[in-house]
Amino acid sequence: MLDELTVDDIIWTPFKDHRAHRPRDPRALYSVYIRTPFGRAVSRHLPERVTRQFGYIQDIPRHPSEIQTTRSLAETADAAYADYVPHLVPHRIPAIRPGDEVSDYMRWYSRVSHRFIIPDDRREELSAVSAMRRGVEMFEQSLEVPVLLQ
């Protein structure tokens, strides 16, 4: 069923109703490196990959390798976060409809993502939609009343 999700099947803004209780912190759109709370582990933080969850139109995000480092990752993360404003995702266009994306986004997504769980050669066989169709056909066949010849 995951392979057959459409844009309309997904809740793109899961925290929308919570905004009245806790406004969005602008640092949620901070996009560089971030240090984990414990230890010295550092990870890329790329909210531009999920801007639909923030209520914006999804565009094609930059590649993670485009984030520049000039010193150790821990120092880079600390320095960038201390002055986080220049590292916020640039101004975004609010989405009119949940799940809105730029025109080439789905083509890009299809090219860079492993978007299917079911292998291509078994998609029809294992498809939830196909299984439902087969079930409906079997049900309809069970309802057919044989015509008696007289």
Side-chain angles (χ1 to χ4, degrees), residues 10 22 48 56 61 65 89 117 123 125 136 140 143 149:
I10 298 168
R22 185 156 178 105
E48 60 263 36
Y56 300 112
S65 66
V89 174
I117 295 170
R123 184 156 299 131
E125 171 193 351
V136 168
E140 288 173 344
L143 295 178
L149 297 175

Side-chain angles (χ1 to χ4, degrees), residues 82-128:
D83 185 25
Y84 71 90
V85 174
H87 303 287
L88 295 179
V89 174
H91 178 69
R92 297 289 172 184
I93 301 169
I96 295 170
R97 187 179 67 89
D100 279 350
E101 75 260 342
V102 295
S103 62
D104 289 338
Y105 176 77
M106 290 311 290
R107 187 173 336 144
W108 170 85
Y109 179 81
S110 296
R111 186 174 48 79
V112 301
S113 176
H114 300 287
R115 61 190 183 106
F116 293 112
I117 295 170
I118 299 173
D120 286 339
D121 59 334
R122 298 195 64 202
R123 184 156 299 131
E124 184 62 30
E125 171 193 351
L126 298 175
S127 164

Side-chain angles (χ1 to χ4, degrees), residues 22-41:
R22 185 156 178 105
R24 183 180 317 140
D25 187 327
R27 289 176 290 187
L29 293 176
Y30 167 79
S31 178
V32 189
Y33 289 98
I34 195 163
R35 195 191 291 230
T36 57
F38 305 104
R40 298 193 54 86

Side-chain angles (χ1 to χ4, degrees), residues 1-6 115 117:
M1 292 181 75
L2 289 174
D3 288 346
E4 296 168 351
L5 288 174
T6 66
R115 61 190 183 106
I117 295 170

Side-chain angles (χ1 to χ4, degrees), residues 31-70:
S31 178
V32 189
Y33 289 98
I34 195 163
R35 195 191 291 230
T36 57
F38 305 104
R40 298 193 54 86
V42 177
S43 306
R44 288 182 178 101
H45 186 255
L46 302 171
E48 60 263 36
R49 293 185 169 265
V50 292
T51 56
R52 287 186 279 206
Q53 291 182 14
F54 294 102
Y56 300 112
I57 292 175
Q58 181 67 55
D59 62 356
I60 299 170
R62 64 186 168 161
H63 192 276
S65 66
E66 291 179 24
I67 297 175
Q68 301 296 319
T69 59
T70 55

